[in-house]
Structure formats: structure tokens, C-alpha cells
Amino acid sequence: MIQPFSQGRYWGKFIGMVLFKRISPWFIPILLFSVWVFLSQTGLMSDAIFPKAEKVARTLIRMIRNGLLFEYIFVSARRALVGFFLGGSIGFLFGLSNGLSDLSNEFLDTTLQMLRNIPNLALMPLIILWCGIGENTKIIMVAIATFFPVYLNTKHGIRSIDKGLIEMGRVYGLKGFSLFRHVIFPGATSSILIGVRYALGIMWIVMIAAESLAADSGIGFMATRARELFQMDIIILSILLYALLGKLSDTIARFIE
């Protein structure tokens, strides 16, 4: 009789721990949402400052029904992902080159560090003059922003590998691509993925700015137009969408890691 009871108590604790682990990251967002609902329903917070949660929910349902929400999300996600893969891929290649080769690092790193300290928004007028206000401008802006986190972390990960591991690999007959595949790349993967996570966050921030200044579709355009028309419910909805998309991107990167 004691053993089944003990097993039941064990499984109860186990399920409780799993649920707590799943729910605890969302505790603060749920708390903030509850405070928002309470303040708006009791009239302690004016609609001019922050719209009611039910008004934002009605706007969400309306935009889902007319198809505009999914259209804007698809457009923004496509721009962001294309720019991320372009900038991240180039950053990864430059990180490999400067991490593996002292000569490459000597010639390229100083120039890249100078470019890294130029604000992205300072480059936008120049890119608009070169490429116009079409899709290429937004993609290039995202690519530039996501290039540097991936580059820096790839280079750091490769150069931080224990030299003893590399020597041990050579003792076992590894060299060239085999040494890179079995020793260098696995050792640098953790740092590279940190750069990917950081780049994914910057991706959405730059996309907001790019779509706000030069776009006729996307979530940033939706928020800009709502600001001009003083539609606070759409502005808050846009902010929530960017937050959820950013969280989804980070979750995918953590899963890969």
C-alpha cells in the first residue's frame, strides 16, 4: 500500500515541476496583462493613454477576419527572414575566415569593426537613395544589422577553443576540414548560436524602423498608419505582435541550441 502511494506522490511532484517550469516564464506577462485589464475595466487608466484590452481583442478579431493581419505578418516575416539569412550567412563566413586565419583577421577585422559602429538608421537614407523604397531596402537593413552579431560570435567561438583540443585532434590524425568538422566547429557552436539569438532579436527591431520609414505593407507600416490616425488599439496590437514574433524566434533558436 505504501509503494503505490509513494509512486503517486512522486509523479504528482514531477508533473507539478514540469507545469511550473512551463508556466513560470509567462508569469510576468500574464501579471502585466491582468493589471492592464483591471486598470482599463475600472477606469483608472484613460483610453487615451492605453486602450482597453477588449478593444484590442476586437481589433485583432476584425483584422483576422478581413485577412489583413496575416498578410502583414507574412510580409514582415518574409522580409526579416530573407535579411537574416543573407546577413547571418555572410557574417558566418567572415567569422570563419577571421577566426581561422590570422592574415584574414589582420586585413578585415578593423574595417568591419569601424562599420559595426555606424548606426543602422544612419545608413537608411543612403540605402534608400541607392535602392529606392522597395523590398530591397528593408532586406538590406536587416542583413546589415544581423551580420555583426553572427560575425562577432562566430569569430569569438573559433578563437576561444582550447588549443589543447586542437593539438589532440592533430595527434589523432585530424587535419584540414576533418579537424574543423570534429573539433573546431563543435567547440564554436555554442557561441555561434548565441550570436544567432542576438541577431534574431535585432532583426525585428530593425524591421520596425525600416517598415516605419519606407513601406506600404507589413506590421511596421500598420503601426505607422495607426499612429497617424491616432488608433491606439492597432498600435498596441502591433507592439504585441512584434513581442510574440520575437519570442517565437528566440524559442526556435533555443530549441536548435
PDB file of all heavy atoms in Angstrom, residues 92 149-150 152-161 183-199 250 253-254 256-257:
ATOM      1  N   PHE A  92      28.579  34.677 -40.873  1.00  0.00           N
ATOM      2  CA  PHE A  92      29.163  33.388 -40.505  1.00  0.00           C
ATOM      3  C   PHE A  92      30.429  33.115 -41.317  1.00  0.00           C
ATOM      4  O   PHE A  92      31.448  32.671 -40.774  1.00  0.00           O
ATOM      5  CB  PHE A  92      28.133  32.281 -40.732  1.00  0.00           C
ATOM      6  CG  PHE A  92      28.648  30.896 -40.481  1.00  0.00           C
ATOM      7  CD1 PHE A  92      28.906  30.456 -39.195  1.00  0.00           C
ATOM      8  CD2 PHE A  92      28.869  30.019 -41.536  1.00  0.00           C
ATOM      9  CE1 PHE A  92      29.383  29.178 -38.959  1.00  0.00           C
ATOM     10  CE2 PHE A  92      29.342  28.741 -41.307  1.00  0.00           C
ATOM     11  CZ  PHE A  92      29.600  28.317 -40.015  1.00  0.00           C
ATOM     12  N   PRO A 149      26.302  40.533 -35.194  1.00  0.00           N
ATOM     13  CA  PRO A 149      26.232  39.583 -34.070  1.00  0.00           C
ATOM     14  C   PRO A 149      26.721  38.187 -34.454  1.00  0.00           C
ATOM     15  O   PRO A 149      27.442  37.546 -33.678  1.00  0.00           O
ATOM     16  CB  PRO A 149      24.740  39.572 -33.709  1.00  0.00           C
ATOM     17  CG  PRO A 149      24.221  40.864 -34.191  1.00  0.00           C
ATOM     18  CD  PRO A 149      24.995  41.171 -35.434  1.00  0.00           C
ATOM     19  N   VAL A 150      26.339  37.720 -35.647  1.00  0.00           N
ATOM     20  CA  VAL A 150      26.780  36.389 -36.083  1.00  0.00           C
ATOM     21  C   VAL A 150      28.279  36.394 -36.351  1.00  0.00           C
ATOM     22  O   VAL A 150      29.003  35.460 -35.967  1.00  0.00           O
ATOM     23  CB  VAL A 150      26.008  35.948 -37.343  1.00  0.00           C
ATOM     24  CG1 VAL A 150      26.502  34.589 -37.824  1.00  0.00           C
ATOM     25  CG2 VAL A 150      24.508  35.879 -37.048  1.00  0.00           C
ATOM     26  N   LEU A 152      30.694  38.381 -35.041  1.00  0.00           N
ATOM     27  CA  LEU A 152      31.491  38.510 -33.824  1.00  0.00           C
ATOM     28  C   LEU A 152      31.486  37.226 -33.006  1.00  0.00           C
ATOM     29  O   LEU A 152      32.533  36.787 -32.505  1.00  0.00           O
ATOM     30  CB  LEU A 152      30.963  39.675 -32.981  1.00  0.00           C
ATOM     31  CG  LEU A 152      31.215  41.083 -33.533  1.00  0.00           C
ATOM     32  CD1 LEU A 152      30.490  42.119 -32.696  1.00  0.00           C
ATOM     33  CD2 LEU A 152      32.708  41.388 -33.557  1.00  0.00           C
ATOM     34  N   ASN A 153      30.330  36.606 -32.870  1.00  0.00           N
ATOM     35  CA  ASN A 153      30.245  35.399 -32.050  1.00  0.00           C
ATOM     36  C   ASN A 153      30.868  34.194 -32.743  1.00  0.00           C
ATOM     37  O   ASN A 153      31.415  33.313 -32.073  1.00  0.00           O
ATOM     38  CB  ASN A 153      28.784  35.114 -31.687  1.00  0.00           C
ATOM     39  CG  ASN A 153      28.285  36.004 -30.583  1.00  0.00           C
ATOM     40  OD1 ASN A 153      28.455  35.715 -29.403  1.00  0.00           O
ATOM     41  ND2 ASN A 153      27.668  37.115 -30.949  1.00  0.00           N
ATOM     42  N   THR A 154      30.796  34.140 -34.071  1.00  0.00           N
ATOM     43  CA  THR A 154      31.467  33.056 -34.791  1.00  0.00           C
ATOM     44  C   THR A 154      32.984  33.170 -34.625  1.00  0.00           C
ATOM     45  O   THR A 154      33.671  32.184 -34.316  1.00  0.00           O
ATOM     46  CB  THR A 154      31.105  33.084 -36.277  1.00  0.00           C
ATOM     47  OG1 THR A 154      29.692  32.943 -36.420  1.00  0.00           O
ATOM     48  CG2 THR A 154      31.792  31.957 -37.032  1.00  0.00           C
ATOM     49  N   LYS A 155      33.485  34.362 -34.826  1.00  0.00           N
ATOM     50  CA  LYS A 155      34.927  34.588 -34.669  1.00  0.00           C
ATOM     51  C   LYS A 155      35.372  34.313 -33.227  1.00  0.00           C
ATOM     52  O   LYS A 155      36.386  33.634 -32.990  1.00  0.00           O
ATOM     53  CB  LYS A 155      35.261  36.027 -35.056  1.00  0.00           C
ATOM     54  CG  LYS A 155      36.716  36.400 -34.812  1.00  0.00           C
ATOM     55  CD  LYS A 155      36.926  37.897 -35.009  1.00  0.00           C
ATOM     56  CE  LYS A 155      38.275  38.296 -34.468  1.00  0.00           C
ATOM     57  NZ  LYS A 155      38.485  39.764 -34.524  1.00  0.00           N
ATOM     58  N   HIS A 156      34.605  34.812 -32.268  1.00  0.00           N
ATOM     59  CA  HIS A 156      34.955  34.595 -30.852  1.00  0.00           C
ATOM     60  C   HIS A 156      34.918  33.112 -30.497  1.00  0.00           C
ATOM     61  O   HIS A 156      35.803  32.615 -29.782  1.00  0.00           O
ATOM     62  CB  HIS A 156      33.987  35.369 -29.961  1.00  0.00           C
ATOM     63  CG  HIS A 156      34.135  35.064 -28.512  1.00  0.00           C
ATOM     64  ND1 HIS A 156      35.186  35.522 -27.745  1.00  0.00           N
ATOM     65  CD2 HIS A 156      33.368  34.309 -27.665  1.00  0.00           C
ATOM     66  CE1 HIS A 156      35.067  35.080 -26.509  1.00  0.00           C
ATOM     67  NE2 HIS A 156      33.968  34.345 -26.436  1.00  0.00           N
ATOM     68  N   GLY A 157      33.896  32.398 -30.989  1.00  0.00           N
ATOM     69  CA  GLY A 157      33.789  30.983 -30.676  1.00  0.00           C
ATOM     70  C   GLY A 157      34.964  30.180 -31.208  1.00  0.00           C
ATOM     71  O   GLY A 157      35.489  29.295 -30.512  1.00  0.00           O
ATOM     72  N   ILE A 158      35.401  30.488 -32.411  1.00  0.00           N
ATOM     73  CA  ILE A 158      36.519  29.749 -33.009  1.00  0.00           C
ATOM     74  C   ILE A 158      37.825  30.065 -32.286  1.00  0.00           C
ATOM     75  O   ILE A 158      38.621  29.180 -31.973  1.00  0.00           O
ATOM     76  CB  ILE A 158      36.626  30.086 -34.509  1.00  0.00           C
ATOM     77  CG1 ILE A 158      35.425  29.495 -35.251  1.00  0.00           C
ATOM     78  CG2 ILE A 158      37.934  29.535 -35.099  1.00  0.00           C
ATOM     79  CD1 ILE A 158      35.367  29.872 -36.712  1.00  0.00           C
ATOM     80  N   ARG A 159      38.043  31.334 -31.972  1.00  0.00           N
ATOM     81  CA  ARG A 159      39.306  31.727 -31.346  1.00  0.00           C
ATOM     82  C   ARG A 159      39.347  31.393 -29.857  1.00  0.00           C
ATOM     83  O   ARG A 159      40.421  31.489 -29.234  1.00  0.00           O
ATOM     84  CB  ARG A 159      39.556  33.220 -31.560  1.00  0.00           C
ATOM     85  CG  ARG A 159      39.882  33.549 -33.008  1.00  0.00           C
ATOM     86  CD  ARG A 159      40.330  34.982 -33.211  1.00  0.00           C
ATOM     87  NE  ARG A 159      40.879  35.126 -34.565  1.00  0.00           N
ATOM     88  CZ  ARG A 159      42.165  35.073 -34.858  1.00  0.00           C
ATOM     89  NH1 ARG A 159      43.042  34.870 -33.883  1.00  0.00           N
ATOM     90  NH2 ARG A 159      42.584  35.215 -36.095  1.00  0.00           N
ATOM     91  N   SER A 160      38.209  31.025 -29.282  1.00  0.00           N
ATOM     92  CA  SER A 160      38.172  30.678 -27.854  1.00  0.00           C
ATOM     93  C   SER A 160      38.334  29.182 -27.606  1.00  0.00           C
ATOM     94  O   SER A 160      38.338  28.752 -26.450  1.00  0.00           O
ATOM     95  CB  SER A 160      36.853  31.163 -27.235  1.00  0.00           C
ATOM     96  OG  SER A 160      36.735  32.566 -27.341  1.00  0.00           O
ATOM     97  N   ILE A 161      38.439  28.390 -28.659  1.00  0.00           N
ATOM     98  CA  ILE A 161      38.586  26.942 -28.486  1.00  0.00           C
ATOM     99  C   ILE A 161      39.924  26.631 -27.832  1.00  0.00           C
ATOM    100  O   ILE A 161      40.955  27.225 -28.158  1.00  0.00           O
ATOM    101  CB  ILE A 161      38.481  26.226 -29.852  1.00  0.00           C
ATOM    102  CG1 ILE A 161      37.077  26.414 -30.439  1.00  0.00           C
ATOM    103  CG2 ILE A 161      38.789  24.737 -29.716  1.00  0.00           C
ATOM    104  CD1 ILE A 161      36.934  25.867 -31.831  1.00  0.00           C
ATOM    105  N   VAL A 183      36.350  19.111 -34.353  1.00  0.00           N
ATOM    106  CA  VAL A 183      36.875  19.802 -33.170  1.00  0.00           C
ATOM    107  C   VAL A 183      36.481  21.278 -33.151  1.00  0.00           C
ATOM    108  O   VAL A 183      35.852  21.754 -32.197  1.00  0.00           O
ATOM    109  CB  VAL A 183      38.417  19.672 -33.101  1.00  0.00           C
ATOM    110  CG1 VAL A 183      38.951  20.437 -31.880  1.00  0.00           C
ATOM    111  CG2 VAL A 183      38.831  18.217 -33.032  1.00  0.00           C
ATOM    112  N   ILE A 184      36.829  22.011 -34.206  1.00  0.00           N
ATOM    113  CA  ILE A 184      36.668  23.466 -34.179  1.00  0.00           C
ATOM    114  C   ILE A 184      35.199  23.879 -34.223  1.00  0.00           C
ATOM    115  O   ILE A 184      34.733  24.654 -33.374  1.00  0.00           O
ATOM    116  CB  ILE A 184      37.439  24.103 -35.355  1.00  0.00           C
ATOM    117  CG1 ILE A 184      38.936  23.828 -35.206  1.00  0.00           C
ATOM    118  CG2 ILE A 184      37.178  25.614 -35.411  1.00  0.00           C
ATOM    119  CD1 ILE A 184      39.773  24.340 -36.366  1.00  0.00           C
ATOM    120  N   PHE A 185      34.443  23.367 -35.191  1.00  0.00           N
ATOM    121  CA  PHE A 185      33.043  23.774 -35.323  1.00  0.00           C
ATOM    122  C   PHE A 185      32.189  23.359 -34.120  1.00  0.00           C
ATOM    123  O   PHE A 185      31.419  24.177 -33.614  1.00  0.00           O
ATOM    124  CB  PHE A 185      32.454  23.223 -36.621  1.00  0.00           C
ATOM    125  CG  PHE A 185      31.041  23.672 -36.868  1.00  0.00           C
ATOM    126  CD1 PHE A 185      30.759  24.974 -37.206  1.00  0.00           C
ATOM    127  CD2 PHE A 185      29.984  22.779 -36.745  1.00  0.00           C
ATOM    128  CE1 PHE A 185      29.469  25.403 -37.427  1.00  0.00           C
ATOM    129  CE2 PHE A 185      28.688  23.191 -36.955  1.00  0.00           C
ATOM    130  CZ  PHE A 185      28.426  24.507 -37.302  1.00  0.00           C
ATOM    131  N   PRO A 186      32.286  22.109 -33.631  1.00  0.00           N
ATOM    132  CA  PRO A 186      31.508  21.775 -32.432  1.00  0.00           C
ATOM    133  C   PRO A 186      31.862  22.645 -31.228  1.00  0.00           C
ATOM    134  O   PRO A 186      30.982  23.009 -30.444  1.00  0.00           O
ATOM    135  CB  PRO A 186      31.873  20.303 -32.169  1.00  0.00           C
ATOM    136  CG  PRO A 186      32.287  19.778 -33.503  1.00  0.00           C
ATOM    137  CD  PRO A 186      32.981  20.923 -34.185  1.00  0.00           C
ATOM    138  N   GLY A 187      33.144  23.005 -31.104  1.00  0.00           N
ATOM    139  CA  GLY A 187      33.538  23.845 -29.979  1.00  0.00           C
ATOM    140  C   GLY A 187      33.025  25.264 -30.088  1.00  0.00           C
ATOM    141  O   GLY A 187      32.824  25.939 -29.065  1.00  0.00           O
ATOM    142  N   ALA A 188      32.822  25.735 -31.314  1.00  0.00           N
ATOM    143  CA  ALA A 188      32.368  27.113 -31.513  1.00  0.00           C
ATOM    144  C   ALA A 188      30.856  27.234 -31.627  1.00  0.00           C
ATOM    145  O   ALA A 188      30.325  28.351 -31.635  1.00  0.00           O
ATOM    146  CB  ALA A 188      33.016  27.687 -32.771  1.00  0.00           C
ATOM    147  N   THR A 189      30.151  26.112 -31.721  1.00  0.00           N
ATOM    148  CA  THR A 189      28.708  26.136 -31.985  1.00  0.00           C
ATOM    149  C   THR A 189      27.928  26.917 -30.942  1.00  0.00           C
ATOM    150  O   THR A 189      27.013  27.693 -31.264  1.00  0.00           O
ATOM    151  CB  THR A 189      28.163  24.702 -32.081  1.00  0.00           C
ATOM    152  OG1 THR A 189      28.827  24.021 -33.139  1.00  0.00           O
ATOM    153  CG2 THR A 189      26.670  24.712 -32.358  1.00  0.00           C
ATOM    154  N   SER A 190      28.266  26.759 -29.673  1.00  0.00           N
ATOM    155  CA  SER A 190      27.531  27.452 -28.607  1.00  0.00           C
ATOM    156  C   SER A 190      27.615  28.961 -28.775  1.00  0.00           C
ATOM    157  O   SER A 190      26.608  29.671 -28.675  1.00  0.00           O
ATOM    158  CB  SER A 190      28.095  27.039 -27.241  1.00  0.00           C
ATOM    159  OG  SER A 190      27.437  27.738 -26.196  1.00  0.00           O
ATOM    160  N   SER A 191      28.811  29.464 -29.049  1.00  0.00           N
ATOM    161  CA  SER A 191      28.978  30.905 -29.250  1.00  0.00           C
ATOM    162  C   SER A 191      28.255  31.373 -30.507  1.00  0.00           C
ATOM    163  O   SER A 191      27.642  32.449 -30.521  1.00  0.00           O
ATOM    164  CB  SER A 191      30.469  31.242 -29.339  1.00  0.00           C
ATOM    165  OG  SER A 191      30.659  32.628 -29.541  1.00  0.00           O
ATOM    166  N   ILE A 192      28.292  30.571 -31.565  1.00  0.00           N
ATOM    167  CA  ILE A 192      27.609  30.944 -32.811  1.00  0.00           C
ATOM    168  C   ILE A 192      26.104  31.074 -32.586  1.00  0.00           C
ATOM    169  O   ILE A 192      25.466  32.018 -33.065  1.00  0.00           O
ATOM    170  CB  ILE A 192      27.905  29.907 -33.911  1.00  0.00           C
ATOM    171  CG1 ILE A 192      29.388  29.923 -34.283  1.00  0.00           C
ATOM    172  CG2 ILE A 192      27.053  30.177 -35.154  1.00  0.00           C
ATOM    173  CD1 ILE A 192      29.798  28.788 -35.200  1.00  0.00           C
ATOM    174  N   LEU A 193      25.528  30.145 -31.835  1.00  0.00           N
ATOM    175  CA  LEU A 193      24.085  30.175 -31.599  1.00  0.00           C
ATOM    176  C   LEU A 193      23.677  31.350 -30.715  1.00  0.00           C
ATOM    177  O   LEU A 193      22.566  31.860 -30.836  1.00  0.00           O
ATOM    178  CB  LEU A 193      23.643  28.851 -30.980  1.00  0.00           C
ATOM    179  CG  LEU A 193      23.654  27.665 -31.951  1.00  0.00           C
ATOM    180  CD1 LEU A 193      23.352  26.370 -31.219  1.00  0.00           C
ATOM    181  CD2 LEU A 193      22.650  27.875 -33.081  1.00  0.00           C
ATOM    182  N   ILE A 194      24.574  31.772 -29.823  1.00  0.00           N
ATOM    183  CA  ILE A 194      24.298  32.992 -29.052  1.00  0.00           C
ATOM    184  C   ILE A 194      24.199  34.180 -29.999  1.00  0.00           C
ATOM    185  O   ILE A 194      23.327  35.041 -29.862  1.00  0.00           O
ATOM    186  CB  ILE A 194      25.389  33.216 -27.997  1.00  0.00           C
ATOM    187  CG1 ILE A 194      25.292  32.151 -26.895  1.00  0.00           C
ATOM    188  CG2 ILE A 194      25.269  34.617 -27.375  1.00  0.00           C
ATOM    189  CD1 ILE A 194      26.403  32.212 -25.879  1.00  0.00           C
ATOM    190  N   GLY A 195      25.106  34.233 -30.981  1.00  0.00           N
ATOM    191  CA  GLY A 195      25.031  35.288 -31.984  1.00  0.00           C
ATOM    192  C   GLY A 195      23.759  35.220 -32.794  1.00  0.00           C
ATOM    193  O   GLY A 195      23.171  36.260 -33.132  1.00  0.00           O
ATOM    194  N   VAL A 196      23.303  34.011 -33.105  1.00  0.00           N
ATOM    195  CA  VAL A 196      22.053  33.843 -33.849  1.00  0.00           C
ATOM    196  C   VAL A 196      20.868  34.361 -33.045  1.00  0.00           C
ATOM    197  O   VAL A 196      19.996  35.075 -33.575  1.00  0.00           O
ATOM    198  CB  VAL A 196      21.855  32.360 -34.224  1.00  0.00           C
ATOM    199  CG1 VAL A 196      20.452  32.122 -34.765  1.00  0.00           C
ATOM    200  CG2 VAL A 196      22.894  31.929 -35.258  1.00  0.00           C
ATOM    201  N   ARG A 197      20.828  34.034 -31.752  1.00  0.00           N
ATOM    202  CA  ARG A 197      19.734  34.505 -30.898  1.00  0.00           C
ATOM    203  C   ARG A 197      19.732  36.025 -30.815  1.00  0.00           C
ATOM    204  O   ARG A 197      18.674  36.670 -30.873  1.00  0.00           O
ATOM    205  CB  ARG A 197      19.858  33.904 -29.503  1.00  0.00           C
ATOM    206  CG  ARG A 197      19.555  32.414 -29.428  1.00  0.00           C
ATOM    207  CD  ARG A 197      19.667  31.904 -28.011  1.00  0.00           C
ATOM    208  NE  ARG A 197      18.685  32.544 -27.148  1.00  0.00           N
ATOM    209  CZ  ARG A 197      18.631  32.355 -25.824  1.00  0.00           C
ATOM    210  NH1 ARG A 197      19.508  31.556 -25.243  1.00  0.00           N
ATOM    211  NH2 ARG A 197      17.711  32.964 -25.112  1.00  0.00           N
ATOM    212  N   TYR A 198      20.905  36.603 -30.661  1.00  0.00           N
ATOM    213  CA  TYR A 198      21.004  38.062 -30.588  1.00  0.00           C
ATOM    214  C   TYR A 198      20.580  38.693 -31.908  1.00  0.00           C
ATOM    215  O   TYR A 198      19.872  39.711 -31.937  1.00  0.00           O
ATOM    216  CB  TYR A 198      22.437  38.436 -30.234  1.00  0.00           C
ATOM    217  CG  TYR A 198      22.645  39.912 -29.961  1.00  0.00           C
ATOM    218  CD1 TYR A 198      21.818  40.611 -29.090  1.00  0.00           C
ATOM    219  CD2 TYR A 198      23.672  40.611 -30.584  1.00  0.00           C
ATOM    220  CE1 TYR A 198      22.001  41.954 -28.846  1.00  0.00           C
ATOM    221  CE2 TYR A 198      23.870  41.957 -30.347  1.00  0.00           C
ATOM    222  CZ  TYR A 198      23.031  42.623 -29.480  1.00  0.00           C
ATOM    223  OH  TYR A 198      23.212  43.959 -29.249  1.00  0.00           O
ATOM    224  N   ALA A 199      21.008  38.089 -33.021  1.00  0.00           N
ATOM    225  CA  ALA A 199      20.655  38.616 -34.341  1.00  0.00           C
ATOM    226  C   ALA A 199      19.153  38.542 -34.595  1.00  0.00           C
ATOM    227  O   ALA A 199      18.573  39.434 -35.226  1.00  0.00           O
ATOM    228  CB  ALA A 199      21.417  37.855 -35.426  1.00  0.00           C
ATOM    229  N   ASP A 250      13.207  33.548 -30.718  1.00  0.00           N
ATOM    230  CA  ASP A 250      14.149  33.137 -29.671  1.00  0.00           C
ATOM    231  C   ASP A 250      13.912  31.699 -29.251  1.00  0.00           C
ATOM    232  O   ASP A 250      14.862  30.958 -28.985  1.00  0.00           O
ATOM    233  CB  ASP A 250      14.007  34.069 -28.464  1.00  0.00           C
ATOM    234  CG  ASP A 250      15.027  33.770 -27.377  1.00  0.00           C
ATOM    235  OD1 ASP A 250      16.230  34.017 -27.618  1.00  0.00           O
ATOM    236  OD2 ASP A 250      14.632  33.273 -26.312  1.00  0.00           O
ATOM    237  N   ALA A 253      15.474  29.434 -31.820  1.00  0.00           N
ATOM    238  CA  ALA A 253      16.930  29.425 -31.692  1.00  0.00           C
ATOM    239  C   ALA A 253      17.375  28.609 -30.473  1.00  0.00           C
ATOM    240  O   ALA A 253      18.364  27.856 -30.535  1.00  0.00           O
ATOM    241  CB  ALA A 253      17.443  30.865 -31.572  1.00  0.00           C
ATOM    242  N   ARG A 254      16.644  28.719 -29.373  1.00  0.00           N
ATOM    243  CA  ARG A 254      16.986  27.929 -28.183  1.00  0.00           C
ATOM    244  C   ARG A 254      16.761  26.443 -28.425  1.00  0.00           C
ATOM    245  O   ARG A 254      17.520  25.621 -27.920  1.00  0.00           O
ATOM    246  CB  ARG A 254      16.137  28.409 -26.990  1.00  0.00           C
ATOM    247  CG  ARG A 254      16.510  29.781 -26.485  1.00  0.00           C
ATOM    248  CD  ARG A 254      15.651  30.211 -25.324  1.00  0.00           C
ATOM    249  NE  ARG A 254      15.864  29.331 -24.173  1.00  0.00           N
ATOM    250  CZ  ARG A 254      15.176  29.430 -23.035  1.00  0.00           C
ATOM    251  NH1 ARG A 254      14.250  30.372 -22.905  1.00  0.00           N
ATOM    252  NH2 ARG A 254      15.439  28.596 -22.042  1.00  0.00           N
ATOM    253  N   ILE A 256      17.071  24.893 -31.325  1.00  0.00           N
ATOM    254  CA  ILE A 256      18.199  24.443 -32.131  1.00  0.00           C
ATOM    255  C   ILE A 256      19.444  24.287 -31.273  1.00  0.00           C
ATOM    256  O   ILE A 256      20.218  23.339 -31.408  1.00  0.00           O
ATOM    257  CB  ILE A 256      18.451  25.433 -33.275  1.00  0.00           C
ATOM    258  CG1 ILE A 256      17.255  25.455 -34.222  1.00  0.00           C
ATOM    259  CG2 ILE A 256      19.722  25.058 -34.057  1.00  0.00           C
ATOM    260  CD1 ILE A 256      17.329  26.522 -35.290  1.00  0.00           C
ATOM    261  N   GLU A 257      19.665  25.255 -30.372  1.00  0.00           N
ATOM    262  CA  GLU A 257      20.827  25.192 -29.480  1.00  0.00           C
ATOM    263  C   GLU A 257      20.790  23.971 -28.579  1.00  0.00           C
ATOM    264  O   GLU A 257      21.796  23.308 -28.366  1.00  0.00           O
ATOM    265  CB  GLU A 257      20.875  26.471 -28.643  1.00  0.00           C
ATOM    266  CG  GLU A 257      22.093  26.557 -27.729  1.00  0.00           C
ATOM    267  CD  GLU A 257      22.124  27.848 -26.935  1.00  0.00           C
ATOM    268  OE1 GLU A 257      21.153  28.636 -27.059  1.00  0.00           O
ATOM    269  OE2 GLU A 257      23.088  28.087 -26.212  1.00  0.00           O
TER     270      GLU A 257
END
